[in-house]
Amino acid sequence: MATTKKPIILAVDDDLQVLNAVDRDLRSEFRRDYRILRASSGEEALTTLRELRAREEPLALILADQRMPGMEGVELLSEARGIFPDAKRVLLTAYADTEAAIRAINNARLDHYLMKPWDPPQQLLYPTLHDLLGAWQREYQPKYSGLRLIGFQWSPLSHDIKDFLSGYLVGFQWLDFETNAEAQDLLTAKGLSAADLPLVIYEDGVAVARPSKTDLAQHMGLTITATQDLYDVVVIGAGPSGMAAAVYGASEGLKTLMIERQTFGGQAGTSSRIENYLGFPTGLSGSELAHRAWAQAVRLGAEILAPQEVTELCVQDGYKVLTLTDGSKVRTRAVVLTTGVSYRTLDVPGVDRLSGAGVYYGSARTEARSCDEQDVYIVGGGNSAGQAAMYLATYARRVFIVIRGKSLAASMSAYLIEQIGNTPNIEILPFTEVAEVCGQDHLEAVVLKTNGEITKHPARALFIFIGAKPSTEWVCDTVICDGKGFVLTGRDLVTDPRYATSWKHNREPYLLETCVPGVFAAGDSRAGAMARVASAVGEGSMAIKFVHQYLDE
């Protein structure tokens, strides 16, 4: 969350007694709402102003004495106008300098002058300053002081960072370097160039050029290193099934670790609105559901590593040993694979080249605002595509859903079909497929093929939601997967002659157990699973029951 920095009043006078008196009176009246700073010369004041500008501190008012050696008050206040053009500027002067003060108001555009002495301040100082500060407050718009991301709209790396931050519900301000003057000023102030983009500026002012997900995670306080030598159960994947497994494992006293390579929620976490999940009659976003589950798992004692990826699973002396991308290893007695699925890639000319630059897999929530009053296209007819269409319709001029079949009925829930039918700026394009995507450095048009007819249409963005590809490549050498990469479990291992010899234990495998005893699978990456959030949550919960049975053997 962004925080607002308290505005500053700067008092400047070379006479220490006068400066002390000004400082005392200002603090007495204004310290609750303003920070009071002081400087003993014009040069020191300018240095302070430049530092405040670099730190983006708000200056409300500067009060400077006229007669100072080296730089007079009028000259200082004129210089200050170039640094803080909106700050109120007041000249402090003796009676003999009244004429000069009046000229300065006309020539240097000062806001006011005050006579010395100003005793009592309740009559001769505070009313004037209150009026000036009130006028400043009416015009003042606090600078955003949370995390900011500066980059190019069509940069794939900028998109990846936006997607990552959004996935963890981290608030940030997006500044397009090509269209935002503030972004250019910030880059210059940091002594950087466009070659350093994307640039993340954290709330504490630290700037990191082209940050990795690990850099972002560490600054966000996420954990990427395991703390225990041995766990009872490690859950791999933080989608709905993984979250449920972590919640139930931790709540039932198991030493539980969950590892997620990207962001919480899996594919469901990218859904803009889930309206058919039990207990939420008005619906909720996938990211909301994921972060509620994450908070619940942590509260109950689960340890979570993110973003971190498992690259290998092997069995040593009955224990399961997981190797992570950084080379570290995690030992556990049992494993629950909840790696989920990812969207299949669209294999047409131009997609690979423009991926992240107008062509996106999922990511409707991340890029929706950039599609304001533009035409966008969605490929896919499942619930994720429908939820994305409804969300994008809030921003885009028109949303086109491209499907190969004649309708959405075979693949989308009825409530979504009804909502889409009642949304005037969503149009379904049946018997259609994308033949090509076009553009130089970003998507400019899509080529569609409808019943053999080829047409080209301008497009701001193309969102792809086609099919499910299990994220199991790294583990298929250890557990048995079917021809599509989905993990086989339970009775499938003993009833199918092709896999009957893979189970060598003296009991039948538990319902969600893989061919490796103590390694279980749940959720969308398991063969035969139902692609629904509630089903995934149920399987993740059930997996912990079987983990208990395995550990009790």
Side-chain angles (χ1 to χ4, degrees):
M1 295 292 290
T3 57
T4 303
K5 296 179 180 178
K6 191 179 288 188
I8 291 167
I9 298 174
L10 176 62
V12 189
D13 201 309
D14 66 308
D15 187 320
L16 185 58
Q17 281 189 315
V18 175
L19 185 59
N20 286 338
V22 175
D23 184 76
R24 178 199 65 220
D25 289 341
L26 290 176
R27 289 181 186 278
S28 176
E29 183 72 6
F30 299 105
R31 65 183 175 185
R32 188 180 69 175
D33 300 316
Y34 298 88
R35 289 173 55 203
I36 313 300
L37 301 182
R38 51 191 286 173
S40 58
S41 69
E43 292 80 3
E44 181 185 346
L46 284 178
T47 299
T48 299
L49 291 173
R50 293 187 182 107
E51 290 175 353
L52 293 176
R53 182 65 176 175
R55 297 199 304 265
E56 298 182 76
E57 302 265 7
L59 180 71
L61 183 144
I62 176 171
L63 176 66
D65 184 57
Q66 167 61 8
R67 292 196 177 186
M68 294 187 296
M71 179 180 293
E72 290 187 338
V74 170
E75 183 182 355
L76 167 62
L77 294 174
S78 297
E79 291 279 346
R81 184 168 181 263
I83 303 172
F84 284 96
D86 298 325
K88 298 301 180 182
R89 293 166 299 132
V90 178
L91 188 68
L92 191 61
T93 183
Y95 180 79
D97 298 319
T98 302
E99 187 177 341
I102 294 173
R103 285 199 303 271
I105 290 176
N106 295 329
N107 299 332
R109 298 183 183 179
L110 301 188
D111 295 289
H112 210 281
Y113 74 92
L114 291 170
M115 300 286 292
K116 295 189 293 186
W118 56 85
D119 191 51
Q122 291 81 3
Q123 297 178 16
L124 301 178
L125 179 66
Y126 298 155
T128 298
L129 296 188
H130 273 299
D131 287 345
L132 292 171
L133 290 170
W136 179 83
Q137 287 281 7
R138 286 190 292 274
E139 299 294 328
Y140 172 59
Q141 294 185 345
K143 291 281 187 181
Y144 180 86
S145 57
L147 187 149
R148 281 172 292 185
L149 171 61
I150 303 173
F152 297 101
Q153 175 61 42
W154 305 117
S155 160
L157 183 53
S158 294
H159 166 72
D160 287 345
I161 295 174
K162 284 191 286 184
D163 220 26
F164 181 81
L165 294 173
S166 297
Y168 283 99
L169 294 185
V170 176
F172 66 95
Q173 183 184 48
W174 163 249
L175 300 173
D176 188 345
F177 179 75
E178 293 181 303
T179 60
N180 191 294
E182 183 184 359
Q184 298 164 12
D185 292 342
L186 283 170
L187 202 64
T188 302
K190 298 294 182 183
L192 301 172
S193 67
D196 298 303
L197 297 178
L199 177 74
V200 168
I201 303 177
Y202 295 107
E203 189 171 351
D204 57 9
V206 173
V208 180
R210 304 176 70 83
S212 67
K213 290 180 180 178
T214 300
D215 294 329
L216 295 168
Q218 289 175 334
H219 202 94
M220 290 157 53
L222 298 174
T223 303
I224 59 173
T225 304
T227 62
Q228 304 292 325
D229 293 328
L230 177 65
Y231 294 89
D232 292 320
V233 60
V234 173
V235 181
I236 304 175
S241 58
M243 288 289 191
V247 166
Y248 277 86
S251 68
E252 294 175 14
L254 297 178
K255 192 179 293 183
T256 304
L257 174 70
M258 181 166 63
I259 304 174
E260 169 55 46
R261 65 176 181 173
Q262 295 180 6
T263 56
F264 301 144
Q267 199 175 75
T270 66
S271 295
S272 55
R273 204 75 185 162
I274 301 172
E275 298 189 55
N276 59 352
Y277 186 62
L278 185 67
F280 295 90
T282 60
L284 77 169
S285 72
S287 57
E288 286 179 286
L289 179 62
H291 280 75
R292 290 185 187 199
W294 166 75
Q296 190 176 16
V298 171
R299 182 179 67 82
L300 292 170
E303 183 180 333
I304 299 177
L305 304 188
Q308 185 61 274
E309 186 173 1
V310 181
T311 59
E312 185 181 358
L313 165 63
C314 63
V315 180
Q316 295 178 357
D317 301 324
Y319 294 106
K320 286 71 180 170
V321 180
L322 307 173
T323 303
L324 308 184
T325 47
D326 60 6
S328 62
K329 296 184 183 296
V330 175
R331 295 172 69 244
T332 180
R333 299 167 66 195
V335 171
V336 180
L337 299 171
T338 58
T339 54
V341 296
S342 57
Y343 294 113
R344 294 189 180 278
T345 57
L346 183 64
D347 187 17
V348 301
V351 164
D352 289 343
R353 182 171 56 85
L354 298 177
S355 182
V359 175
Y360 308 107
Y361 290 91
S363 303
R365 287 175 60 86
T366 304
E367 299 296 340
R369 292 183 183 276
S370 69
C371 301
D372 190 46
E373 292 302 315
Q374 304 287 326
D375 289 351
V376 301
Y377 287 77
I378 293 174
V379 182
N383 278 3
S384 294
Q387 290 157 355
M390 290 301 301
Y391 187 76
L392 288 165
T394 306
Y395 303 94
R397 178 173 57 194
R398 291 183 299 177
V399 178
F400 298 95
I401 302 178
V402 179
I403 56 174
R404 292 183 176 182
K406 66 177 182 178
S407 74
L408 299 170
S411 55
M412 190 178 294
S413 295
Y415 80 92
L416 270 174
I417 296 174
E418 182 179 357
Q419 289 179 355
I420 288 170
N422 293 329
T423 305
N425 62 331
I426 298 180
E427 182 178 344
I428 300 170
L429 303 179
F431 305 112
T432 302
E433 56 187 292
V434 176
E436 184 180 358
V437 296
C438 308
Q440 293 299 315
D441 59 347
H442 67 275
L443 179 70
E444 297 174 17
V446 295
V447 178
L448 302 180
K449 183 179 181 181
T450 306
N451 293 323
E453 181 182 353
I454 301 293
T455 54
K456 187 175 182 179
H457 307 268
R460 172 72 175 191
L462 175 69
F463 298 92
I464 302 170
F465 300 86
I466 52 170
K469 172 182 153 185
S471 303
T472 56
E473 304 89 347
W474 63 277
V475 78
C476 280
D477 290 337
T478 306
V479 300
I480 301 296
C481 299
D482 66 13
K484 296 181 179 179
F486 292 92
V487 180
L488 292 170
T489 59
R491 294 287 297 167
D492 289 343
L493 295 170
V494 294
T495 57
D496 191 322
R498 293 174 297 174
Y499 312 118
T501 58
S502 66
W503 181 257
K504 298 179 172 60
H505 212 50
N506 57 4
R507 59 164 174 82
E508 283 199 358
Y510 297 120
L511 181 62
L512 300 179
E513 196 168 23
T514 70
C515 65
V516 179
V519 177
F520 303 86
D524 290 355
S525 62
R526 189 183 69 83
M530 181 186 297
R532 289 292 184 269
V533 173
S535 173
V537 170
E539 287 197 8
S541 308
M542 289 168 56
I544 296 302
K545 174 186 181 243
F546 299 126
V547 167
H548 277 296
Q549 291 179 319
Y550 168 76
L551 295 179
D552 290 340
E553 289 179 357

